[in-house]
Amino acid sequence: MTARGKRMQTTALDISETGLRIEAVPGLQVGDVVDIEWVTGERLRGRLVWLRNGQSGVELDAAMPAQILREAA
């Protein structure tokens, strides 16, 4: 994941067509734009919409590709 010009590592805990729940990354705030890169090389852009209990919610700008949803199931 890239945010604020820095590359960071996190874990996706749950994904859906419109967003994902990730382990929170220190220093990020609600409203930050993030670029998520999957191991497949697929990149998605989104925005942090909530932070709580060591987790964050990312709302995606575009729908999650079906291939990623299938692989995560």
Side-chain angles (χ1 to χ4, degrees), residues 2-73:
T2 304
R4 296 181 171 206
K6 295 181 181 177
R7 191 165 173 84
M8 306 166 188
Q9 188 168 356
T10 189
T11 300
L13 303 170
D14 187 35
I15 68 171
S16 72
E17 190 173 313
T18 60
L20 58 156
R21 182 171 50 101
I22 61 171
E23 290 181 349
V25 176
L28 293 185
Q29 299 176 359
V30 170
D32 283 348
V33 173
V34 296
D35 291 308
I36 307 289
E37 183 177 347
W38 299 96
V39 294
T40 61
E42 183 85 34
R43 293 177 186 225
L44 301 169
R45 178 163 279 188
R47 183 173 308 276
L48 234 54
V49 292
W50 58 264
L51 292 164
R52 66 177 168 268
N53 301 324
Q55 300 177 358
S56 301
V58 177
E59 181 179 13
L60 298 173
D61 290 350
M64 181 78 67
Q67 176 186 351
I68 292 174
L69 288 171
R70 280 192 304 275
E71 290 173 2

